[in-house]
């Protein structure tokens, strides 16, 4: 069975970087997501990094862990990682895992 991939599109302004994600955040895609956001935070981090999850169809435990790690990395460089357009399924998972409080959700 062919798994849907994750597409990552970045739009940057002076105030923020919007990372539009579409597809699945899972074991096979978290490394790419980590690299894109990690590179962004490493050189001239924006005040806010917004992850637009409106087209994310799935997020596994590794995906959740990666979101928390990226949020902490952002904090270390005085940036904020904000999740936006979070689907109901993901909000439920964040509630069940107790991670909702660890992430900024807009």
């Amino acid at each position: 069975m062919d798994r849907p991939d994750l597409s990552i599109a970045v739009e940057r302004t002076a105030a923020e970087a919007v990372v539009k994600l579409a597809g699945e955040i899972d074991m096979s895609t978290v490394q790419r997501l980590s690299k894109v956001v990690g590179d962004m935070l490493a050189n001239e981090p924006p005040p806010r990094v917004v992850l637009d999850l409106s087209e994310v169809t799935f997020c596994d435990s590794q995906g959740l862990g990666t979101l928390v790690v990226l949020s902490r990395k952002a904090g270390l460089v005085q940036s904020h990682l904000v999740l936006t357009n979070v689907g109901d399924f993901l909000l439920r998972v964040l509630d069940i895992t107790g991670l909702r409080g660890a992430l900024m959700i807009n």
Side-chain angles (χ1 to χ4, degrees):
M1 183 173 97
D2 197 27
R3 296 196 56 115
D5 198 12
L6 180 70
S7 81
I8 303 173
V10 179
E11 288 174 28
R12 241 187 124 141
T13 65
E16 64 183 19
V18 177
V19 182
K20 200 157 175 41
L21 304 173
E24 300 191 353
I25 304 173
D26 62 17
M27 199 170 84
S28 63
T29 61
V30 289
Q31 261 184 321
R32 233 169 14 117
L33 174 58
S34 285
K35 180 162 176 30
V36 168
V37 177
D39 288 352
M40 190 182 294
L41 294 172
N43 338 279
E44 294 179 48
R48 278 168 39 111
V49 176
V50 179
L51 296 187
D52 183 343
L53 306 180
S54 57
E55 293 181 46
V56 169
T57 54
F58 178 77
C59 184
D60 71 4
S61 59
Q62 262 188 302
L64 291 174
T66 298
L67 293 176
V68 172
V69 168
L70 291 173
S71 179
R72 291 199 182 122
K73 276 186 182 171
L76 292 174
V77 294
Q78 276 74 55
S79 182
H80 295 286
L81 184 85
V82 181
L83 306 183
T84 186
N85 296 318
V86 181
D88 290 343
F89 83 95
L90 189 51
L91 287 175
R92 273 198 304 276
V93 172
L94 290 169
D95 284 337
I96 292 165
T97 56
L99 290 174
R100 191 169 182 163
L103 296 164
M104 285 177 70
I105 299 171
N106 193 350

